[in-house]
Amino acid sequence: MVLFAITLLVLLIGFFAGKKLYTKFYNHARNAQIEIANLYEAMCVRQAPSVDTLEHHILCLGNSITCMGPNDEVGWKGHWGMAASKKENDYVHLLEAILKSHNPRSTVSFKNILVWELNPLLDVDSLFTGMMEGKDIIIFRFGDNVEDEKVLSQGLQNLIDYCRQYTSNIIITGCFWKRIHTESVLISAARTNHLKYVPLFWIGETYGDSTYCQGDEVFYDVDSNPYKGTHPAFKLHPNDKGMAMIAETIFDAMF
């Protein structure tokens, strides 16, 4: 009887250990498959890099990587893309500088839509009063803070339909932070709507910490006073190099 109980216990332990191991490897393999699929889809979305000298007026819709106002809670004192040392070093202003080098009348404006990113079913009319007028290119640079991919899918289509009232030239970028399930939704929306898709997560994956804030950089506040950013939130964001790579990647895919 004792031997039977020991044998049963060993079998149960083996079963649960095996099940846990199987689940771990299955999830790992599944994530790898999704990532490979994302890369394949990204390669298939048509991109035709070139340069034109026309006047362009661009609107970037994003989260804190696009723009974040002063925030005492995390010690951020800028009013531009978080973890860029100065305003001119975030991806929005770098993108504008590149465009102005081809046509000085071009402009790039921005809007932080974190509230929409966290709640994609939010009514967008209240977010963009007057902002879309005169824009010939709209860039979606979000996804890093998404909490529900299913809701994102529905809300993203609503946002695309809204923006198309103003321009058909909409560019969807991927996440800067590696989030393969969110990436799938963004790629699917680009393909379904015949929009350009620009992957970005490869920047951090390829260049690692050199593209992320390390916490020892010198930042400048809105009055150009230097300070150090020590809060962990800084390290989640691209530094000047990361911002430059985002701007260059978007520009290369823009025309």
Side-chain angles (χ1 to χ4, degrees):
M1 187 68 179
V2 174
L3 181 60
F4 174 79
I6 294 174
T7 302
L8 181 60
L9 180 61
V10 170
L11 289 173
L12 287 172
I13 292 173
F15 171 79
F16 286 110
K19 184 178 180 182
K20 184 177 181 180
L21 189 62
Y22 170 81
T23 302
K24 178 180 178 180
F25 279 105
Y26 174 83
N27 289 338
H28 179 76
R30 178 57 181 155
N31 287 341
Q33 289 175 339
I34 293 172
E35 184 171 349
I36 291 170
N38 284 345
L39 291 173
Y40 177 79
E41 286 287 330
M43 291 171 63
C44 290
V45 174
R46 184 175 181 182
Q47 298 174 353
S50 60
V51 176
D52 71 24
T53 58
L54 299 176
E55 178 180 344
H56 294 287
H57 299 285
I58 297 171
L59 175 62
C60 297
L61 305 178
N63 48 41
S64 58
I65 295 177
T66 296
C67 178
M68 181 172 173
N71 187 317
D72 292 337
E73 186 176 342
V74 299
W76 171 246
K77 301 179 181 181
H79 196 184
W80 48 83
M82 187 170 181
S85 60
K86 302 177 181 179
K87 178 176 70 174
E88 57 265 33
N89 291 334
D90 76 359
Y91 88 85
V92 170
H93 294 88
L94 289 170
L95 181 60
E96 183 175 57
I98 297 172
L99 287 163
K100 283 184 176 295
S101 70
H102 297 286
N103 188 311
R105 294 186 297 276
S106 291
T107 63
V108 180
S109 55
F110 54 86
K111 171 73 172 179
N112 183 311
I113 59 166
L114 175 63
V115 62
W116 179 91
E117 188 179 35
L118 296 175
N119 181 16
L121 298 183
L122 188 70
D123 176 36
V124 294
D125 277 317
S126 60
L127 291 177
F128 304 121
T129 304
M131 292 199 71
M132 300 281 182
E133 299 291 343
K135 302 300 186 294
D136 63 315
I137 302 175
I138 298 176
I139 297 172
F140 293 177
R141 167 66 291 281
F142 49 69
D144 313 277
N145 301 297
V146 167
E147 296 177 344
D148 188 327
E149 281 80 12
K150 291 183 179 179
V151 174
L152 172 65
S153 181
Q154 181 180 345
L156 187 54
Q157 187 59 54
N158 293 340
L159 182 59
I160 291 170
D161 292 340
Y162 179 88
C163 292
R164 274 182 166 160
Q165 299 176 75
Y166 301 91
T167 178
S168 61
N169 197 344
I170 300 169
I171 298 172
I172 300 179
T173 79
C175 302
F176 185 76
W177 305 330
K178 186 177 178 181
R179 302 191 61 182
I180 58 178
H181 297 289
T182 303
E183 200 86 20
S184 296
V185 175
L186 297 171
I187 292 170
S188 178
R191 177 171 291 283
T192 301
N193 290 278
H194 307 289
L195 304 176
K196 288 183 180 178
Y197 165 79
V198 183
L200 296 177
F201 80 85
W202 63 270
I203 295 173
E205 288 296 297
T206 304
Y207 295 95
D209 290 346
S210 69
T211 58
Y212 278 91
C213 173
Q214 298 302 300
D216 57 356
E217 296 93 338
V218 175
F219 299 91
Y220 294 86
D221 64 18
V222 292
D223 296 316
S224 300
N225 299 309
Y227 73 99
K228 287 292 188 85
T230 58
H231 193 278
F234 279 76
K235 295 185 178 182
L236 294 174
H237 291 76
N239 58 16
D240 288 354
K241 178 181 177 179
M243 288 288 189
M245 294 187 74
I246 292 173
E248 292 163 5
T249 302
I250 293 174
F251 179 78
D252 286 345
M254 188 172 291
F255 304 112

